[in-house]
Amino acid sequence: MSLNDNIEDIYTEYSPRLLGYIRLQVSNREDAEDILHDVFYQLARTSVDDGSEIERISSWLYRVARNAVLNFWRKKREVSLETEDTACDDIARTLFCNPADAPDTVFLRELVWQELDIALSELPPEQCEVFCLTVFDCMPIKDISSATGIPVATLLSRKHYAVKYLRKRFHELYDALISQD
């Protein structure tokens, strides 16, 4: 099967089942979706890099997904789960706190939103756009592809890089904030 012409069709056909497979092994939906996007990013890279043909696309996708899940858990072991969970929880509480909260919490929320705006402005426009459409507007990748004419694989790749960059930026921000105590 030639990949260059069929990535969107492959995504449409396999992504629901592949996400279900990944979700059985990863409890967090966002992590599972990141892994799914990583799998299709690898598929897009394979098709672009060498024009490869994969005889059994289903087997290839599940093998790559299995390896991506294994890599996910390997990386999780390397990073302290307590620190990462605390960072995510703290940032979420700060972003979505009640305006009647203490002034320092309100100030911190404004700071984090400002940092998010800055981080988004640092992304290439196409990465920022797909990230904002999928995260803030909850628009499915497939719908964005239909509306813009941009292939699903390209959109997945752009979102992948945006998420990777934003994660790094917010871990740096979190580290800076907790080191001030």
Side-chain angles (χ1 to χ4, degrees), residues 131-155:
F131 178 83
C132 290
L133 287 172
T134 57
V135 173
F136 298 128
D137 296 338
C138 300
M139 194 171 183
I141 291 281
K142 197 167 128 182
D143 292 351
I144 298 169
S145 177
S146 296
T148 62
I150 299 170
V152 169
T154 302
L155 294 170

PDB file of all heavy atoms in Angstrom, residues 131-155:
ATOM      1  N   PHE A 131      -2.822  23.617  17.338  1.00  0.00           N
ATOM      2  CA  PHE A 131      -2.910  23.401  18.782  1.00  0.00           C
ATOM      3  C   PHE A 131      -4.152  24.095  19.345  1.00  0.00           C
ATOM      4  O   PHE A 131      -4.933  23.491  20.074  1.00  0.00           O
ATOM      5  CB  PHE A 131      -1.648  23.916  19.491  1.00  0.00           C
ATOM      6  CG  PHE A 131      -1.717  23.761  20.975  1.00  0.00           C
ATOM      7  CD1 PHE A 131      -1.394  22.557  21.569  1.00  0.00           C
ATOM      8  CD2 PHE A 131      -2.119  24.811  21.796  1.00  0.00           C
ATOM      9  CE1 PHE A 131      -1.474  22.398  22.948  1.00  0.00           C
ATOM     10  CE2 PHE A 131      -2.198  24.662  23.160  1.00  0.00           C
ATOM     11  CZ  PHE A 131      -1.876  23.456  23.738  1.00  0.00           C
ATOM     12  N   CYS A 132      -4.332  25.363  19.012  1.00  0.00           N
ATOM     13  CA  CYS A 132      -5.477  26.123  19.537  1.00  0.00           C
ATOM     14  C   CYS A 132      -6.807  25.543  19.068  1.00  0.00           C
ATOM     15  O   CYS A 132      -7.757  25.446  19.847  1.00  0.00           O
ATOM     16  CB  CYS A 132      -5.364  27.591  19.153  1.00  0.00           C
ATOM     17  SG  CYS A 132      -4.027  28.450  20.014  1.00  0.00           S
ATOM     18  N   LEU A 133      -6.876  25.153  17.792  1.00  0.00           N
ATOM     19  CA  LEU A 133      -8.124  24.584  17.283  1.00  0.00           C
ATOM     20  C   LEU A 133      -8.483  23.274  17.975  1.00  0.00           C
ATOM     21  O   LEU A 133      -9.646  23.020  18.291  1.00  0.00           O
ATOM     22  CB  LEU A 133      -8.034  24.369  15.771  1.00  0.00           C
ATOM     23  CG  LEU A 133      -8.081  25.629  14.908  1.00  0.00           C
ATOM     24  CD1 LEU A 133      -7.779  25.289  13.450  1.00  0.00           C
ATOM     25  CD2 LEU A 133      -9.424  26.327  15.028  1.00  0.00           C
ATOM     26  N   THR A 134      -7.481  22.427  18.232  1.00  0.00           N
ATOM     27  CA  THR A 134      -7.781  21.134  18.845  1.00  0.00           C
ATOM     28  C   THR A 134      -7.985  21.244  20.351  1.00  0.00           C
ATOM     29  O   THR A 134      -8.842  20.573  20.903  1.00  0.00           O
ATOM     30  CB  THR A 134      -6.670  20.101  18.553  1.00  0.00           C
ATOM     31  OG1 THR A 134      -5.422  20.605  19.004  1.00  0.00           O
ATOM     32  CG2 THR A 134      -6.611  19.761  17.077  1.00  0.00           C
ATOM     33  N   VAL A 135      -7.200  22.086  21.021  1.00  0.00           N
ATOM     34  CA  VAL A 135      -7.261  22.150  22.479  1.00  0.00           C
ATOM     35  C   VAL A 135      -8.330  23.113  22.975  1.00  0.00           C
ATOM     36  O   VAL A 135      -9.154  22.769  23.820  1.00  0.00           O
ATOM     37  CB  VAL A 135      -5.879  22.513  23.069  1.00  0.00           C
ATOM     38  CG1 VAL A 135      -5.961  22.743  24.559  1.00  0.00           C
ATOM     39  CG2 VAL A 135      -4.886  21.403  22.766  1.00  0.00           C
ATOM     40  N   PHE A 136      -8.329  24.332  22.458  1.00  0.00           N
ATOM     41  CA  PHE A 136      -9.256  25.341  22.971  1.00  0.00           C
ATOM     42  C   PHE A 136     -10.624  25.267  22.306  1.00  0.00           C
ATOM     43  O   PHE A 136     -11.639  25.525  22.943  1.00  0.00           O
ATOM     44  CB  PHE A 136      -8.668  26.746  22.810  1.00  0.00           C
ATOM     45  CG  PHE A 136      -7.403  26.948  23.588  1.00  0.00           C
ATOM     46  CD1 PHE A 136      -6.266  27.435  22.980  1.00  0.00           C
ATOM     47  CD2 PHE A 136      -7.339  26.632  24.935  1.00  0.00           C
ATOM     48  CE1 PHE A 136      -5.094  27.616  23.693  1.00  0.00           C
ATOM     49  CE2 PHE A 136      -6.172  26.806  25.658  1.00  0.00           C
ATOM     50  CZ  PHE A 136      -5.048  27.305  25.036  1.00  0.00           C
ATOM     51  N   ASP A 137     -10.652  24.938  21.015  1.00  0.00           N
ATOM     52  CA  ASP A 137     -11.929  24.857  20.302  1.00  0.00           C
ATOM     53  C   ASP A 137     -12.457  23.431  20.196  1.00  0.00           C
ATOM     54  O   ASP A 137     -13.523  23.206  19.634  1.00  0.00           O
ATOM     55  CB  ASP A 137     -11.779  25.449  18.896  1.00  0.00           C
ATOM     56  CG  ASP A 137     -11.438  26.929  18.916  1.00  0.00           C
ATOM     57  OD1 ASP A 137     -11.721  27.590  19.933  1.00  0.00           O
ATOM     58  OD2 ASP A 137     -10.878  27.428  17.919  1.00  0.00           O
ATOM     59  N   CYS A 138     -11.685  22.457  20.703  1.00  0.00           N
ATOM     60  CA  CYS A 138     -12.070  21.035  20.697  1.00  0.00           C
ATOM     61  C   CYS A 138     -12.451  20.543  19.299  1.00  0.00           C
ATOM     62  O   CYS A 138     -13.363  19.733  19.139  1.00  0.00           O
ATOM     63  CB  CYS A 138     -13.217  20.787  21.677  1.00  0.00           C
ATOM     64  SG  CYS A 138     -12.800  21.218  23.372  1.00  0.00           S
ATOM     65  N   MET A 139     -11.754  21.006  18.320  1.00  0.00           N
ATOM     66  CA  MET A 139     -12.034  20.623  16.936  1.00  0.00           C
ATOM     67  C   MET A 139     -11.212  19.383  16.581  1.00  0.00           C
ATOM     68  O   MET A 139      -9.996  19.378  16.769  1.00  0.00           O
ATOM     69  CB  MET A 139     -11.678  21.786  16.015  1.00  0.00           C
ATOM     70  CG  MET A 139     -12.201  21.680  14.632  1.00  0.00           C
ATOM     71  SD  MET A 139     -11.908  23.260  13.776  1.00  0.00           S
ATOM     72  CE  MET A 139     -12.671  22.888  12.234  1.00  0.00           C
ATOM     73  N   PRO A 140     -11.848  18.334  16.078  1.00  0.00           N
ATOM     74  CA  PRO A 140     -11.103  17.128  15.692  1.00  0.00           C
ATOM     75  C   PRO A 140     -10.146  17.403  14.523  1.00  0.00           C
ATOM     76  O   PRO A 140     -10.438  18.207  13.638  1.00  0.00           O
ATOM     77  CB  PRO A 140     -12.188  16.145  15.265  1.00  0.00           C
ATOM     78  CG  PRO A 140     -13.454  16.672  15.853  1.00  0.00           C
ATOM     79  CD  PRO A 140     -13.284  18.157  15.934  1.00  0.00           C
ATOM     80  N   ILE A 141      -9.027  16.713  14.540  1.00  0.00           N
ATOM     81  CA  ILE A 141      -8.014  16.847  13.478  1.00  0.00           C
ATOM     82  C   ILE A 141      -8.644  16.625  12.107  1.00  0.00           C
ATOM     83  O   ILE A 141      -8.352  17.348  11.154  1.00  0.00           O
ATOM     84  CB  ILE A 141      -6.851  15.840  13.709  1.00  0.00           C
ATOM     85  CG1 ILE A 141      -6.034  16.208  14.937  1.00  0.00           C
ATOM     86  CG2 ILE A 141      -5.973  15.713  12.486  1.00  0.00           C
ATOM     87  CD1 ILE A 141      -5.041  17.318  14.749  1.00  0.00           C
ATOM     88  N   LYS A 142      -9.505  15.644  12.010  1.00  0.00           N
ATOM     89  CA  LYS A 142     -10.136  15.312  10.730  1.00  0.00           C
ATOM     90  C   LYS A 142     -10.949  16.495  10.200  1.00  0.00           C
ATOM     91  O   LYS A 142     -10.919  16.792   9.009  1.00  0.00           O
ATOM     92  CB  LYS A 142     -11.025  14.084  10.928  1.00  0.00           C
ATOM     93  CG  LYS A 142     -11.424  13.376   9.668  1.00  0.00           C
ATOM     94  CD  LYS A 142     -12.012  12.036  10.002  1.00  0.00           C
ATOM     95  CE  LYS A 142     -13.336  11.893   9.319  1.00  0.00           C
ATOM     96  NZ  LYS A 142     -14.004  10.656   9.625  1.00  0.00           N
ATOM     97  N   ASP A 143     -11.660  17.195  11.089  1.00  0.00           N
ATOM     98  CA  ASP A 143     -12.454  18.354  10.676  1.00  0.00           C
ATOM     99  C   ASP A 143     -11.553  19.508  10.230  1.00  0.00           C
ATOM    100  O   ASP A 143     -11.861  20.216   9.274  1.00  0.00           O
ATOM    101  CB  ASP A 143     -13.359  18.819  11.815  1.00  0.00           C
ATOM    102  CG  ASP A 143     -14.464  17.823  12.132  1.00  0.00           C
ATOM    103  OD1 ASP A 143     -14.636  16.851  11.363  1.00  0.00           O
ATOM    104  OD2 ASP A 143     -15.147  18.012  13.153  1.00  0.00           O
ATOM    105  N   ILE A 144     -10.442  19.693  10.931  1.00  0.00           N
ATOM    106  CA  ILE A 144      -9.492  20.742  10.543  1.00  0.00           C
ATOM    107  C   ILE A 144      -8.941  20.428   9.158  1.00  0.00           C
ATOM    108  O   ILE A 144      -8.838  21.310   8.302  1.00  0.00           O
ATOM    109  CB  ILE A 144      -8.350  20.865  11.567  1.00  0.00           C
ATOM    110  CG1 ILE A 144      -8.898  21.263  12.936  1.00  0.00           C
ATOM    111  CG2 ILE A 144      -7.311  21.880  11.093  1.00  0.00           C
ATOM    112  CD1 ILE A 144      -7.887  21.157  14.072  1.00  0.00           C
ATOM    113  N   SER A 145      -8.616  19.157   8.941  1.00  0.00           N
ATOM    114  CA  SER A 145      -8.096  18.738   7.645  1.00  0.00           C
ATOM    115  C   SER A 145      -9.116  19.012   6.537  1.00  0.00           C
ATOM    116  O   SER A 145      -8.768  19.544   5.483  1.00  0.00           O
ATOM    117  CB  SER A 145      -7.739  17.255   7.674  1.00  0.00           C
ATOM    118  OG  SER A 145      -7.311  16.825   6.409  1.00  0.00           O
ATOM    119  N   SER A 146     -10.370  18.675   6.794  1.00  0.00           N
ATOM    120  CA  SER A 146     -11.419  18.916   5.793  1.00  0.00           C
ATOM    121  C   SER A 146     -11.586  20.398   5.510  1.00  0.00           C
ATOM    122  O   SER A 146     -11.756  20.807   4.361  1.00  0.00           O
ATOM    123  CB  SER A 146     -12.755  18.348   6.282  1.00  0.00           C
ATOM    124  OG  SER A 146     -12.676  16.961   6.418  1.00  0.00           O
ATOM    125  N   ALA A 147     -11.528  21.224   6.555  1.00  0.00           N
ATOM    126  CA  ALA A 147     -11.743  22.663   6.391  1.00  0.00           C
ATOM    127  C   ALA A 147     -10.571  23.359   5.712  1.00  0.00           C
ATOM    128  O   ALA A 147     -10.764  24.311   4.950  1.00  0.00           O
ATOM    129  CB  ALA A 147     -12.008  23.302   7.751  1.00  0.00           C
ATOM    130  N   THR A 148      -9.354  22.889   5.976  1.00  0.00           N
ATOM    131  CA  THR A 148      -8.176  23.587   5.468  1.00  0.00           C
ATOM    132  C   THR A 148      -7.545  22.932   4.250  1.00  0.00           C
ATOM    133  O   THR A 148      -6.754  23.569   3.558  1.00  0.00           O
ATOM    134  CB  THR A 148      -7.085  23.681   6.565  1.00  0.00           C
ATOM    135  OG1 THR A 148      -6.683  22.355   6.927  1.00  0.00           O
ATOM    136  CG2 THR A 148      -7.583  24.445   7.778  1.00  0.00           C
ATOM    137  N   GLY A 149      -7.843  21.651   4.039  1.00  0.00           N
ATOM    138  CA  GLY A 149      -7.205  20.919   2.951  1.00  0.00           C
ATOM    139  C   GLY A 149      -5.804  20.432   3.299  1.00  0.00           C
ATOM    140  O   GLY A 149      -5.106  19.896   2.455  1.00  0.00           O
ATOM    141  N   ILE A 150      -5.404  20.628   4.557  1.00  0.00           N
ATOM    142  CA  ILE A 150      -4.088  20.174   5.009  1.00  0.00           C
ATOM    143  C   ILE A 150      -4.213  18.703   5.409  1.00  0.00           C
ATOM    144  O   ILE A 150      -5.137  18.349   6.151  1.00  0.00           O
ATOM    145  CB  ILE A 150      -3.593  21.028   6.196  1.00  0.00           C
ATOM    146  CG1 ILE A 150      -3.457  22.491   5.771  1.00  0.00           C
ATOM    147  CG2 ILE A 150      -2.269  20.496   6.723  1.00  0.00           C
ATOM    148  CD1 ILE A 150      -3.214  23.448   6.925  1.00  0.00           C
ATOM    149  N   PRO A 151      -3.303  17.847   4.970  1.00  0.00           N
ATOM    150  CA  PRO A 151      -3.394  16.418   5.312  1.00  0.00           C
ATOM    151  C   PRO A 151      -3.367  16.182   6.828  1.00  0.00           C
ATOM    152  O   PRO A 151      -2.714  16.921   7.580  1.00  0.00           O
ATOM    153  CB  PRO A 151      -2.156  15.803   4.654  1.00  0.00           C
ATOM    154  CG  PRO A 151      -1.763  16.772   3.587  1.00  0.00           C
ATOM    155  CD  PRO A 151      -2.171  18.129   4.085  1.00  0.00           C
ATOM    156  N   VAL A 152      -4.079  15.160   7.259  1.00  0.00           N
ATOM    157  CA  VAL A 152      -4.149  14.795   8.672  1.00  0.00           C
ATOM    158  C   VAL A 152      -2.752  14.584   9.248  1.00  0.00           C
ATOM    159  O   VAL A 152      -2.442  15.050  10.341  1.00  0.00           O
ATOM    160  CB  VAL A 152      -5.017  13.525   8.870  1.00  0.00           C
ATOM    161  CG1 VAL A 152      -4.896  12.980  10.278  1.00  0.00           C
ATOM    162  CG2 VAL A 152      -6.476  13.829   8.551  1.00  0.00           C
ATOM    163  N   ALA A 153      -1.909  13.901   8.517  1.00  0.00           N
ATOM    164  CA  ALA A 153      -0.557  13.615   9.008  1.00  0.00           C
ATOM    165  C   ALA A 153       0.220  14.902   9.282  1.00  0.00           C
ATOM    166  O   ALA A 153       0.945  14.998  10.275  1.00  0.00           O
ATOM    167  CB  ALA A 153       0.197  12.753   8.009  1.00  0.00           C
ATOM    168  N   THR A 154       0.060  15.882   8.434  1.00  0.00           N
ATOM    169  CA  THR A 154       0.742  17.163   8.625  1.00  0.00           C
ATOM    170  C   THR A 154       0.226  17.854   9.880  1.00  0.00           C
ATOM    171  O   THR A 154       0.996  18.382  10.681  1.00  0.00           O
ATOM    172  CB  THR A 154       0.535  18.068   7.392  1.00  0.00           C
ATOM    173  OG1 THR A 154       1.037  17.389   6.241  1.00  0.00           O
ATOM    174  CG2 THR A 154       1.235  19.405   7.559  1.00  0.00           C
ATOM    175  N   LEU A 155      -1.093  17.839  10.057  1.00  0.00           N
ATOM    176  CA  LEU A 155      -1.693  18.454  11.249  1.00  0.00           C
ATOM    177  C   LEU A 155      -1.241  17.746  12.520  1.00  0.00           C
ATOM    178  O   LEU A 155      -0.932  18.391  13.524  1.00  0.00           O
ATOM    179  CB  LEU A 155      -3.219  18.442  11.143  1.00  0.00           C
ATOM    180  CG  LEU A 155      -3.800  19.324  10.033  1.00  0.00           C
ATOM    181  CD1 LEU A 155      -5.290  19.049   9.859  1.00  0.00           C
ATOM    182  CD2 LEU A 155      -3.546  20.793  10.316  1.00  0.00           C
TER     183      LEU A 155
END
